[in-house]
Amino acid sequence: MKLNVYLAGEIHTSWREEIIAECQSQKLDISFTAPVTDHGASDDCGVTILGAEPDKFWHDSKGANLNSIRTRKAIKDADVVVVRFGEKYRQWNAAFDAGFAHALGKSLIVLQMDEHQHALKEVDAAAQAVCTTPSQVAKCLSYVLSGKLS
C-alpha cells in the first residue's frame, strides 16, 4: 500500500521535516505534499505574478487565490491530510484545510498542543487521530501502512 499525505498548517517550525524524516527512516511508501512554506513567496505570489495592488486586501486576495489552486489539488489527491495547529499564529487557514478535507471524506490527523484541545474540539471531533508530536503522526502513518505496532 502507498499513501499520499498532505501536510497542512503552520509553516514556522520543522514539524514537516520531522514527520518526513521519521517515515523515510522506516522506509514507508508515502508521498508527501505541502503548501508553499516560504512565507514571503506565499504572501506575495499573486502580486508578483499578476501585478501590484495598492490595497492590502486585494494583495492578500491575489495570493490566497493563487495558493488555493495548489491547496485544493493537494487535498483532493491526498489519502490522509495532516493539519498542524501551531502556537505562534492563529491558524485560520489550517482550520479551513481541515474542514475542506473532512468535507471531501479524507482521513484527517490533527497535530496540536494540549492547550488547544478546547479551542479545536470540533476539528478534533472530525479527525481520525489527534496527535501532540510529529513522532506520533509518523507512528500513525506507519501503523496505517503496516497494520503493526512498532
Side-chain angles (χ1 to χ4, degrees), residues 106-125:
K106 301 296 177 174
S107 295
L108 181 62
I109 298 174
V110 171
L111 176 57
Q112 68 186 48
M113 299 175 301
D114 284 334
E115 53 266 28
H116 288 163
Q117 285 178 354
H118 178 73
L120 293 172
K121 63 186 176 292
E122 287 82 7
V123 175
D124 291 349

Side-chain angles (χ1 to χ4, degrees), residues 2 33 40 50 57 61-62 85 88 94-95 101 104 128 144 149:
K2 179 180 173 107
T33 55
L50 303 171
F57 175 84
S61 180
K62 278 185 176 180
F85 292 88
K88 188 172 180 183
L104 292 175
Q128 281 64 56
V144 168
L149 295 172

Side-chain angles (χ1 to χ4, degrees), residues 56-131:
K56 182 69 171 146
F57 175 84
W58 294 113
H59 175 113
D60 289 346
S61 180
K62 278 185 176 180
N65 287 333
L66 191 53
N67 283 315
S68 75
I69 297 169
R70 179 186 181 93
T71 302
R72 286 181 189 194
K73 170 77 171 134
I75 291 175
K76 285 180 180 178
D77 290 350
D79 300 306
V80 178
V81 175
V82 178
V83 181
R84 162 79 171 146
F85 292 88
E87 65 181 280
K88 188 172 180 183
Y89 299 101
R90 298 196 193 280
Q91 305 292 305
W92 309 126
N93 59 321
F96 186 85
D97 290 350
F100 183 55
H102 177 67
L104 292 175
K106 301 296 177 174
S107 295
L108 181 62
I109 298 174
V110 171
L111 176 57
Q112 68 186 48
M113 299 175 301
D114 284 334
E115 53 266 28
H116 288 163
Q117 285 178 354
H118 178 73
L120 293 172
K121 63 186 176 292
E122 287 82 7
V123 175
D124 291 349
Q128 281 64 56
V130 177
C131 300

